[in-house]
């Protein structure tokens, strides 16, 4: 008669699930922080006059791009 053993103890499975949940929560927290930066920068730029935007080297058409780059980094194309 042969006896087989379970290769994953319940504690190991619980630890793996906990690690996955923690990683997902960290990713969600990071995404929320990036989104907050995006909206903050976008709002601040939208409140500026055209002259102020020109002084910093941008215009109204580029506000979303500038905010996106500030929040998420430069997109690689």
């Amino acid at each position: 008669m042969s006896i087989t053993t379970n290769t994953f103890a319940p504690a190991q499975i619980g630890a793996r699930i906990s690690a996955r949940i923690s990683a997902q929560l960290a990713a969600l927290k990071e995404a929320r922080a990036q989104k907050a930066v995006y909206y903050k920068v976008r709002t601040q730029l939208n409140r500026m006059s055209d002259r102020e935007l020109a002084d910093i080297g941008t215009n109204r058409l580029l506000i979303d791009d500038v905010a996106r780059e500030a929040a998420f980094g430069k997109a690689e194309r």
Side-chain angles (χ1 to χ4, degrees):
M1 177 188 229
S2 67
I3 299 175
T4 59
T5 58
N6 188 357
T7 58
F8 293 108
Q12 289 175 326
I13 294 172
R16 291 173 69 189
I17 291 172
S18 178
R20 279 189 171 179
I21 291 171
S22 294
Q24 290 293 324
L25 288 175
L28 179 62
K29 187 176 181 181
E30 175 68 19
R32 282 184 150 183
Q34 288 175 324
K35 194 173 181 181
V37 168
Y38 171 79
Y39 283 113
K40 183 177 181 179
V41 170
R42 189 170 176 260
T43 300
Q44 290 173 345
L45 291 175
N46 274 319
R47 289 181 180 168
M48 292 178 141
S49 69
D50 290 339
R51 173 66 186 178
E52 290 170 322
L53 289 171
D55 286 345
I56 63 171
T58 192
N59 60 50
R60 297 221 175 268
L61 295 175
L62 297 176
I63 287 176
D64 285 336
D65 294 335
V66 172
R68 195 174 300 110
E69 186 175 333
F72 306 109
K74 186 151 182 120
E76 295 182 27
R77 294 181 184 187

